[in-house]
Amino acid sequence: MNITSLARYRAEWLNDTIGTRRDVLAGMVGTFALIPEVIAFSFVAGIDPEVGLFASFIIGIVIAFAGGRPAMISGAAGSVALVVAALVHSHGLQYLLAATLLAGILQIAFGLLKLDVLLRFVSRSVRTGFVNALAILIFSAQVPQMLGVTWHTYAMIAGGLGIIYLLPCLTTAIPSPLICIVVLTLISVAYPMPIHIVADLGRLPTSLPSFHIPDLPLNLEAFRIVAPYACAMAAVGLLESMMTASVVDELTDTTSSKARECTGLGLANVAAGLFGGIAGCGMIGQTVGNVRYGGRGRLSTLVAGVFLLVVMVPLRPWIAQVPVAALVAIMIMVSISTFSWGSLSDLARHPKVSGVVMLATVAVTVATHDLSAGVAVGVLLSGVFFAFKVTKLMHVEEELDPRTSTRTYTVSGQIFFASAEIFADQFDLRDTAQKVRIDLTAAHLWDVTAVGALEDVVTKMRRHGMSVELIGLNQASAILVDRHAPLVREATA
């Protein structure tokens, strides 16, 4: 780490008094936002809640020091839980811990190799769809807590939302979600009512996490079982973390090191696996809540992790009394603030293909509850639409000089796998002209498919007795032709 990087890293920790206070309080809000989701996702994965909570504690501390995006909260996320549910069901917790270790190692390698550049292939429409889908999933995750309950629960949720949205009009010294939790807890304790509390969500930790090496056979068969799940966990975790980091970059008008975030996530997951936890990744709902309430530095991430252990072990009896309605109110606020409401009006103003990509990303993510599937479909559609658009920009014009019996084809645009066939169809292979000139000054050959199409055209024209001359090949195109179609190069002028 050079002097500039060291100074920047120090600035990400050290802040003024107001900034430090905001980091601490925002991190505490992030902790309470973590609890219900981590417990719910633990059930999805088929593991005890304490496994997810311990993982979130370990990941939060490690990522605070090793991550590349300050103010980002990471923990045991639902996307990873969905991936490993089958492994836990068929082989048990020890295989899950081994998969977590292997996933962390793969993520470290991904970061060290700087493969984060792959994020550049994710368009803005896909990112918007990703954010909107997450907002919908966050809200839908709260619905079960609002079904089959008494009117008291709805009243508490409404009161919590009132505190969250109205209190900032009076003061912003303390995040309103934190006040919401304290007030609703005091009300539920002072006036007992038939509502769910945190203790009803599952068994909470009663001790600190301990070092543990996964207990499973060290043989090829075990590796074959673990490897596919580890690869899926690594991919989903990296994707969600990088997308979350990009969202925070936009919210805070700052930049971050995605490669370092990948490496930091890998280190965090390795640590989680060694302390009996499930793999995790960036959690956009909790991260957005952290940022919305003033979290900007690494301290907010550290506080979210440390405070999670504090509230879950020493303060367990008190935290167990927190009404679930308070947590639901916070998550509803997070889902509302996460959703990009401007994207709805953009559907009418932006190109239709952008809207289709965004809506497809949302639809697939919500339908499958799989973030990677939604983003994959969005990226695929973006690529297809881009290729189709570029293909339409390729033109071939022809002109015949009867005096010299020379036909000139002037090509403009990009020639690649999607446009190569259209390019080849523009030439009359049975032309009566004695000489053909193909002007590629305004064109570019991108791949071997384009070179192959050009080679087929030139070869067939020569076979029909025509003299073919190529002009205007740029340097990059000429190199491709030299390498993959040397006989065509002989016709270049």
Side-chain angles (χ1 to χ4, degrees), residues 93-135:
L93 179 62
Q94 298 305 314
Y95 280 80
L96 169 63
L97 299 181
T100 297
L101 287 174
L102 182 56
I105 294 171
L106 293 174
Q107 290 168 337
I108 292 173
F110 190 94
L112 293 177
L113 294 174
K114 308 291 186 182
L115 296 180
D116 58 289
V117 296
L118 296 175
L119 187 64
R120 296 175 184 173
F121 293 98
V122 181
S123 67
R124 186 180 184 88
S125 298
V126 176
R127 296 183 188 185
T128 302
F130 171 86
V131 170
N132 289 347
L134 277 176

Side-chain angles (χ1 to χ4, degrees), residues 251-268:
L251 288 175
T252 59
D253 293 326
T254 58
T255 59
S256 59
S257 172
K258 304 301 187 299
R260 185 174 177 182
E261 182 63 32
C262 296
T263 304
L265 179 63
L267 291 171

Side-chain angles (χ1 to χ4, degrees), residues 244-432:
T244 302
S246 296
V247 170
V248 179
D249 288 348
E250 293 185 10
L251 288 175
T252 59
D253 293 326
T254 58
T255 59
S256 59
S257 172
K258 304 301 187 299
R260 185 174 177 182
E261 182 63 32
C262 296
T263 304
L265 179 63
L267 291 171
N269 282 331
V270 168
L274 291 175
F275 282 87
I278 185 177
C281 60
M283 302 182 74
I284 190 168
Q286 288 71 16
T287 298
V288 170
N290 181 42
V291 173
R292 295 290 187 196
Y293 286 94
R296 290 295 183 273
R298 294 180 180 273
L299 182 60
S300 64
T301 306
L302 180 64
V303 168
V306 173
F307 192 61
L308 177 63
L309 189 67
V310 170
V311 300
M312 284 292 97
V313 181
L315 301 181
R316 179 174 174 271
W318 291 273
I319 296 303
Q321 299 302 315
V322 173
V324 173
L327 305 179
V328 170
I330 292 175
M331 297 311 296
I332 290 176
M333 175 276 297
V334 170
S335 68
I336 292 173
S337 61
T338 299
F339 194 89
S340 177
W341 297 99
S343 64
L344 299 180
S345 60
D346 289 341
L347 290 174
R349 298 187 296 108
H350 288 178
K352 291 183 179 179
V353 292
S354 297
V356 170
V357 169
M358 190 271 284
L359 293 174
T361 302
V362 172
V364 173
T365 301
V366 172
T368 63
H369 284 225
D370 188 342
L371 296 168
S372 60
V375 173
V377 169
V379 170
L380 178 62
L381 286 177
S382 295
V384 170
F385 289 145
F386 174 76
F388 181 72
K389 182 177 181 179
V390 173
T391 298
K392 294 177 66 176
L393 298 177
M394 196 276 297
H395 299 285
V396 178
E397 297 179 357
E398 62 175 273
E399 182 181 359
L400 176 65
D401 185 351
R403 293 182 297 106
T404 60
S405 188
T406 300
R407 187 177 300 277
T408 300
Y409 290 91
T410 303
V411 185
S412 60
Q414 313 303 312
I415 308 172
F416 60 114
F417 65 88
S419 60
E421 185 175 348
I422 299 175
F423 163 76
D425 290 342
Q426 304 303 308
F427 297 90
D428 184 0
L429 301 181
R430 298 184 179 276
D431 199 342
T432 57

Side-chain angles (χ1 to χ4, degrees), residues 440 445 447 450-452 454-455 470 473-490 492:
L440 297 164
L445 305 178
D447 54 22
V451 174
L454 179 62
E455 183 180 30
L470 301 180
L473 268 178
N474 59 39
Q475 184 177 3
S477 300
I479 291 174
L480 269 180
V481 171
D482 281 340
R483 184 176 301 168
H484 301 287
L487 295 179
V488 173
R489 186 71 164 134
E490 296 176 0
T492 304

Side-chain angles (χ1 to χ4, degrees), residues 76-88:
S79 53
V80 177
L82 291 170
V83 169
V84 300
L87 175 63
V88 175

